[in-house]
Every structure is written in C-alpha cells, then in structure tokens.
Amino acid sequence: MPDKRQERFSPPPVGGVSLLVVFAVLCLTVFALLALTTVQADNRLADSSARSVEAYYAADCQAQEILARLRAGEVPEGVELRDWPGYGIYTASYTVPISDTQELQVEVELTEEEAHINWRYEVVRWQAVPAGQWEPDGSLDIWDGGLF
C-alpha cells in the first residue's frame, strides 16, 4: 500500500509561470523596439526641420541684404523694378531660393525722399511659396459609375 505522504506530493507547477515570464519579456522587447523606432523617426524629423529652418533664414538674410541695397539706391541683379511715373514710387520684386521646392518672394514699394538720398520703403510681400508649377497626376483610374 502506498504511503499517503507520497500520494499527496506533486511537483510545483512551473509551466504557467514560465509562459507568463516569456510573454512579459516578449511584450517588453516589442515595446522597446517600438520606442526605438519612434525615437529614430523623431530624430530624422527634427534634423529635417532644422535644415529647413536654416535654409529659410539663410534666404531671409539674403533678401534683407538685397533690400538694404535697394534702400541705398542700388538695383541688384535679379530685381525687377517698376516705376509709377509722377508719384515717385517704385515697386521692386525679387525672389530668393530657399530650397529646391521653395522660394522667398519679396515685393517692396520704395518712395523717393530728398532727391534719392533717402528711400522710404514698405514691404508689401515677404512670403515663402512653393517653387515651380504644380502638375496634377491624371493617371489614377476612377470608376465613373458605369457598368463594366
């Protein structure tokens, strides 16, 4: 006859605990990979944003230099100057490239004061706009509502 103590003894269940630990480690690994991917994407976005801002301010500085030359009475290359006869007002327009896809468009009204010694100016437009023309892509087949 078997001893009652031996019948009651059973090894501790480790299968369920092991599965729970493996699942927890797997979840933490997935979350760590997702966090790493997010950090890398944020880093690329921040670098791109910094380059974009740097390019804009470089173009802005160049546009300010052109404006200073206009105020001194000089017409730099690339500036379109229109005269309003009888009013002493000139409109200067120029563009400064920011990147391959953007440019800074500037339009300034210059008014003569004291025989070309001083120029009063008013900025009419100082705007970053897309460079080039937008061309729609008409290659998408869209169902026109008719039968096949």
Side-chain angles (χ1 to χ4, degrees):
M1 199 167 188
D3 190 10
K4 287 188 175 187
R5 277 194 238 159
Q6 289 179 352
E7 282 183 25
R8 283 199 243 156
F9 179 75
S10 62
V14 293
V17 174
S18 296
L19 285 175
L20 187 60
V21 168
V22 167
F23 179 71
V25 168
L26 186 63
C27 286
L28 290 174
T29 304
V30 168
F31 288 144
L33 288 174
L34 287 173
L36 179 64
T37 304
T38 302
V39 166
Q40 288 174 340
D42 287 347
N43 191 26
R44 283 193 306 269
L45 182 62
D47 288 343
S48 174
S49 179
R51 282 192 304 272
S52 176
V53 168
E54 182 181 348
Y56 174 80
Y57 282 111
D60 185 69
C61 183
Q62 187 178 357
Q64 288 285 353
E65 289 172 2
I66 293 171
L67 179 59
R69 291 171 65 188
L70 282 169
R71 291 187 62 208
E74 181 184 344
V75 180
E77 184 179 331
V79 174
E80 179 186 328
L81 193 62
R82 286 174 281 156
D83 182 13
W84 297 91
Y87 294 101
I89 298 175
Y90 298 89
T91 302
S93 301
Y94 56 96
T95 61
V96 178
I98 297 173
S99 66
D100 295 340
T101 59
Q102 272 191 322
E103 62 187 17
L104 184 62
Q105 291 184 351
V106 180
E107 188 172 324
V108 180
E109 281 187 1
L110 300 163
T111 306
E112 288 183 73
E113 291 182 357
E114 299 179 23
H116 297 295
I117 296 173
N118 292 323
W119 288 87
R120 194 180 59 143
Y121 72 98
E122 180 180 344
V123 176
V124 178
R125 181 179 189 191
W126 196 282
Q127 183 179 21
V129 296
Q133 291 292 333
W134 178 76
E135 295 180 18
D137 182 11
S139 64
L140 183 64
D141 281 340
I142 299 178
W143 181 55
D144 62 357
L147 296 176
F148 303 101

